[in-house]
Amino acid sequence: MSTLAQDFKNEPKLPPVELLIDGEWRAAKTGKRFETRNPATGEVITTVAEAGRTDVHDAVMAARRAFETGPWATMPGIDRGRILYRIAQMLRDRFEEFVSLESLDAGKPLRATRRQDLPAVIDCFEYYAGWADKLKGDVIPVRDDALTYTIREPVGVVAAIVPWNFPLMNAAWKIAPALACGCTIVLKPAELTPLSVLALGALALEAGLPPGVLNIIPGPGSVVGATLVAHPGINKISFTGSPEVGRQIMRAAADNVTRVGLELGGKSPNIIFEDADIEAAVRASSSGVFFNAGQVCSAGSRILVHRSRYDDFVDAMVKRAEKYKIGDVANPEVDMGPVISEKQMNTILGFVDAGRREGASLLTGGARVGDRGYFLSPAVFANVGNDMTIAREEIFGPVASVIRFDDEEEAIRLANSSIYSLAAALWSRDVGRVHSIAKRLRAGTVWVNTYGHTNTRLPWGGQGGASGITRDLGEAALSNYTEPKAIWVNLGR
Ligand code: NAD
């Protein structure tokens, strides 16, 4: 069971570690289980039931029954909303329990999970609880002898597949709006971080969510994820993860013409103009690229700095990176925990090697810290060209690439020269410049004189390509899980 070499004050309480299907906790039909590890120590926390193809089918069938015949299908929106509010309230009551579990399984500093992940999860359930009874259509007059109007209907059964970097938050971003809209869900957590989502499943049942409305089936993407997205009983696929898997999912969805929403990767440009407040820019740019050990889809990993401020910026960035406290996630002083796995650590170190080989200057960091767990020191590369591997590819680790530019047009051209389009930032005191450049950056979100904020009320997603083609969050997410139906009533007599 739980082997916590790192010193959690509140020993994390493990959730049921089985499959959640039709309101019951079940072992996998094959009897298989897999290990989940603590990234801070590399030790096994526990084993979890590993779904197989038959379990996927059972989960989809349970979700279909719950959608078509269960109480969920006919429940007034206000009652669905009440259940979502109850989930939010119960998460507040068990705040520390969820914080510890998430930090343990995903290697996050407790301080960050407390400040960021759990409040965002609770906010998400409360926000969409408020929407559940406000999904309405329009009366659209067409002619005098007809009443013509639209209603919004839930799309049906949602397959939600999420990654490991914000396990609970990414799940909440899908579960809360889908439930508010009256859909039912089969959710596959990432195999590296199944625990907090299973705990959420248990809590949702206690909050009164009817059986079959939320099914959770941990297991490998290549089996569980691939079977799920190809299943004809799925009406909508909502995926967050890598561009490669996003492409595979889009192809698989074509056979049944299933709706697909993809939230994919990023290589976000963060542009520092000559009139920027450099001190503030260094502070926000460091957390923009090193937060969550750089494992953030919107990490500001391409920092473009005007030639006249380049040396000052780089010096300050290196000093700041060298002050980062890395280590025990339970220590409130710690800024950065481990990366998620040994494999991820080696991938990141491979990118650091590529940066050196291609001629960028590694000024600090980029090395393993200690020999237990998967800790890395934050890396700052200077003299980076926008076409180098470290500036083109998503590293998903604490590695900053700082690139020089000479003028506004070059900055915009470099920023937009990427297959990604998730987020961007710019730093300037010139109000005219910030508005006109914000419009020209190809990104679903643009931050001005700040970095990294998301909020449940604001839409989140890429503008196509390797960042994907959907919006989570905000009112925009409601259209992922509902569709309009036009009704024409003949009044002619
Ligand atoms: P990943 O694509 O490897 O895995 C994501 C999920 O997909 C996991 O649950 C995995 O098991 C599943 N999966 C894998 N193969 C599958 C298949 N063939 N069919 C169906 N499902 C399959 O990504 P990851 O390494 O877990 O996460 C990192 C990636 O996620 C990065 O590219 C990052 O930018 C992206 N991400 C994006 C956002 C966003 O909001 N845009 C947020 C977080 C992470």
Side-chain angles (χ1 to χ4, degrees), residues 6-21:
Q6 297 228 323
D7 194 16
F8 283 84
K9 253 190 253 129
N10 302 290
E11 173 82 4
K13 188 171 159 234
L14 294 186
V17 279
E18 307 300 329
L19 314 178
L20 176 57
I21 299 178

Side-chain angles (χ1 to χ4, degrees), residues 162 164-165 188 191 225 239-242 248 264-265 297 394 460:
V162 292
W164 43 260
N165 57 341
K188 194 202 89 63
E191 44 274 60
F239 173 76
T240 300
S242 61
Q248 288 172 32
L264 307 177
C297 51
E394 184 177 41
W460 179 255

Side-chain angles (χ1 to χ4, degrees), residues 4 53 76 158 172 183 276 286 323 370 404 430 455:
L4 296 176
R53 291 194 171 84
V158 175
C183 294
S286 307
K323 287 204 186 111
R404 267 188 206 83
D430 178 338
N455 188 283

Side-chain angles (χ1 to χ4, degrees), residues 119 177 282 292 306-307 352 370 402 406 458:
V282 167
N292 209 40
H306 189 267
R307 183 174 296 278
V352 171
V402 194
D406 283 311
L458 296 173

Side-chain angles (χ1 to χ4, degrees), residues 67-406:
F67 181 69
E68 284 163 13
T69 59
W72 196 245
T74 50
M75 191 180 282
I78 184 85
D79 292 335
R80 286 201 307 274
R82 284 195 180 109
I83 294 177
L84 293 182
Y85 276 125
R86 213 171 298 140
I87 291 175
Q89 187 51 49
M90 289 171 69
L91 284 166
R92 270 187 214 293
D93 295 345
R94 301 187 194 165
F95 192 89
E96 282 302 318
E97 202 181 292
F98 274 83
V99 163
S100 309
L101 191 62
E102 186 76 323
S103 287
L104 172 70
D105 208 17
K108 287 165 184 286
L110 286 170
R111 191 180 56 162
T113 316
R114 265 188 205 118
R115 269 201 207 150
Q116 214 251 339
D117 300 56
L118 252 287
V121 169
I122 293 168
D123 190 52
C124 187
F125 277 100
E126 284 177 342
Y127 173 77
Y128 286 107
W131 270 112
D133 62 348
K134 296 174 192 68
L135 300 162
K136 56 186 179 55
D138 293 306
V139 175
I140 306 169
V142 173
R143 23 190 266 199
D144 280 353
D145 64 352
L147 172 62
T148 39
Y149 63 98
T150 60
I151 55 173
R152 291 201 77 80
E153 294 189 328
V155 293
V157 177
V158 175
I161 300 182
V162 292
W164 43 260
N165 57 341
F166 295 94
L168 196 60
M169 196 176 87
N170 273 313
W173 286 15
K174 302 195 183 307
I175 294 171
L179 293 183
C181 293
C183 294
T184 60
I185 303 168
V186 180
L187 181 121
K188 194 202 89 63
E191 44 274 60
L192 291 168
T193 53
L195 296 182
S196 57
V197 169
L198 289 169
L200 178 66
L203 180 144
L205 288 181
E206 258 188 73
L209 199 68
V213 174
L214 174 61
N215 305 276
I216 302 175
I217 47 172
S222 55
V223 178
V224 181
T227 309
L228 184 59
V229 297
H231 198 292
I234 295 297
N235 301 108
K236 163 88 190 189
I237 301 163
S238 183
F239 173 76
T240 300
S242 61
E244 306 85 87
V245 175
R247 285 183 200 105
Q248 288 172 32
I249 288 179
M250 212 165 175
R251 277 185 219 112
D255 283 344
N256 298 314
V257 196
T258 310
R259 300 165 189 80
V260 192
L262 304 173
E263 291 282 6
L264 307 177
K267 189 76 197 176
S268 299
N270 178 14
I271 312 172
I272 322 289
F273 285 103
E274 66 282 6
D275 61 342
D277 173 345
I278 292 289
E279 212 186 298
V282 167
R283 222 180 307 125
S285 304
S286 307
S287 58
V289 62
F290 300 141
F291 177 65
N292 209 40
Q295 303 165 117
V296 182
C297 51
S298 56
S301 49
R302 276 192 305 146
I303 307 177
L304 312 177
V305 185
H306 189 267
R307 183 174 296 278
S308 65
R309 311 300 297 274
Y310 189 86
D311 292 341
D312 291 348
F313 182 91
V314 166
D315 286 350
M317 188 84 188
V318 168
K319 283 200 187 93
R320 203 167 170 89
E322 288 177 347
K323 287 204 186 111
Y324 260 66
K325 291 205 174 58
I326 302 152
D328 185 347
V329 297
N331 178 348
E333 308 279 292
V334 154
D335 299 303
M336 206 164 89
V339 297
I340 192 73
S341 64
E342 188 171 8
K343 181 165 167 249
Q344 183 69 10
M345 179 178 74
N346 291 333
T347 304
I348 298 164
L349 291 172
F351 276 112
V352 171
D353 282 346
R356 277 207 207 93
R357 255 195 336 268
E358 292 175 26
S361 322
L362 178 62
L363 301 183
T364 187
R368 186 171 186 184
V369 177
D371 54 7
R372 184 157 176 270
Y374 318 119
F375 295 91
L376 291 173
S377 50
V380 179
F381 273 105
N383 304 318
V384 180
N386 203 45
D387 52 354
M388 290 182 185
T389 305
I390 54 170
R392 275 198 336 266
E393 294 189 24
E394 184 177 41
I395 298 175
F396 233 55
V399 182
S401 294
V402 194
I403 301 167
R404 267 188 206 83
F405 69 86
D406 283 311

Side-chain angles (χ1 to χ4, degrees), residues 435-486:
H435 287 292
S436 74
I437 295 183
K439 275 205 277 189
R440 293 178 63 192
L441 292 174
R442 202 168 66 87
T445 294
V446 176
W447 293 293
V448 177
N449 296 332
T450 187
Y451 200 92
H453 300 278
T454 55
N455 188 283
T456 316
R457 284 140 205 90
L458 296 173
W460 179 255
Q463 288 198 326
S467 289
I469 45 161
T470 195
R471 289 294 178 276
D472 276 340
L473 300 184
E475 191 174 346
L478 301 171
S479 58
N480 296 337
Y481 304 108
T482 56
E483 58 194 4
K485 175 181 275 180

